[in-house]
Amino acid sequence: MNTPEVAVSRTQSAAYSTNKVIRNTYLLLAMTLVFSAVTAGVSMALQPGPLVYFGSVIASFVMIFVINRMQNSIWALPLTFLFTGLMGFGLGPLLNHYLAMPNGGEVIMTAMSMTALTFLGLSAYVLTSRKDFSFMGGFLTAGLIVVVVAVLANLVLSMFGVHISGLQLAISAAAVLLFSGFILYDTSNIVNGTYTNYVMATVSLYLNIYNLLVHLLHLVGVMNDD
């Protein structure tokens, strides 16, 4: 006789848990983005070599596995800030590269504005519509593999002095679409309760924003290149 009441109670509990994950995810995301901005500023002032950017990318892969294993421990939050701080620091040389270009400040501000508007727009759409984008998982994974292979191939070809016109531009354009899709996908997973750990949800959204910014920087930089 109490089955309906139990079902309602479980539904309310699940909704409360999901809302808590959403709230904690976006709070932690905002904090890590600010922290990344600070470490990026420090990096820009210190002016390390371009290898720092590639080192941060490599380190990020290691850190993701570590955070995933420690996501339910007391080390999850410190590791998340360490991860995002390193990523921000690695972004410094890239930002200095664009600042050295004509209208470099405008390029960076335009790319950042486009990144923010894209993220906020896509996230707001999912949060208000509650639409399920989990069906995109397979397509996004396949797309990510293609982009990674294309990036590696481009690096290898560049090492041998082979430059394919427009390849890097095509990679960045594809990456912008890909990580926009990941924003929809990951936000949907948060809203629909697939992600139960806000640390991993934050890391996923952070990586989407970071990669979106990097590739928008390249696209905007090319369009403003005289």
Side-chain angles (χ1 to χ4, degrees):
M1 294 296 292
N2 294 326
T3 301
E5 288 79 359
V6 172
V8 170
S9 177
R10 289 178 177 175
T11 301
Q12 292 175 340
S13 177
Y16 174 78
S17 178
T18 298
N19 290 333
K20 184 178 179 180
V21 171
I22 294 173
R23 182 176 64 253
N24 289 342
T25 295
Y26 283 94
L27 177 60
L28 181 59
L29 180 63
M31 294 169 65
T32 53
L33 288 174
V34 171
F35 186 59
S36 287
V38 172
T39 57
V42 171
S43 179
M44 292 173 70
L46 294 176
Q47 297 185 342
L51 288 178
V52 170
Y53 169 70
F54 294 103
S56 71
V57 173
I58 295 173
S60 70
F61 286 105
V62 178
M63 289 294 296
I64 290 171
F65 286 108
V66 174
I67 295 173
N68 185 51
R69 290 183 63 87
M70 305 290 288
Q71 60 180 279
N72 295 313
S73 72
I74 59 173
W75 296 103
L77 287 177
L79 286 171
T80 300
F81 278 98
L82 176 61
F83 164 70
T84 55
L86 287 173
M87 293 292 285
F89 191 85
L91 195 61
L94 192 64
L95 294 175
N96 281 336
H97 167 74
Y98 286 102
L99 276 178
M101 297 172 54
N103 302 318
E106 183 180 341
V107 169
I108 292 175
M109 291 306 299
T110 300
M112 286 184 172
S113 298
M114 292 175 66
T115 301
L117 289 174
T118 300
F119 174 72
L120 292 174
L122 294 175
S123 295
Y125 173 70
V126 178
L127 288 169
T128 54
S129 68
R130 300 277 170 167
K131 188 173 180 179
D132 186 1
F133 286 94
S134 60
F135 66 90
M136 296 174 62
F139 297 104
L140 293 172
T141 301
L144 183 60
I145 293 172
V146 171
V147 168
V148 170
V149 170
V151 169
L152 293 176
N154 190 43
L155 287 175
V156 172
L157 290 172
S158 297
M159 290 173 60
F160 289 97
V162 179
H163 300 281
I164 300 177
S165 178
L167 178 58
Q168 183 59 51
L169 190 63
I171 291 172
S172 290
V176 167
L177 293 176
L178 178 68
F179 288 105
S180 296
F182 267 115
I183 290 173
L184 289 173
Y185 175 76
D186 288 326
T187 307
S188 172
N189 284 337
I190 296 170
V191 169
N192 292 293
T194 303
Y195 286 161
T196 56
N197 185 286
Y198 70 92
V199 170
M200 294 309 301
T202 299
V203 170
S204 296
L205 290 178
Y206 177 89
L207 284 172
N208 295 338
I209 295 170
Y210 186 94
N211 284 287
L212 185 61
L213 173 61
V214 168
H215 290 286
L216 280 173
L217 275 170
H218 182 249
L219 291 177
V220 177
V222 169
M223 289 187 291
N224 283 269
D225 188 4
D226 296 327

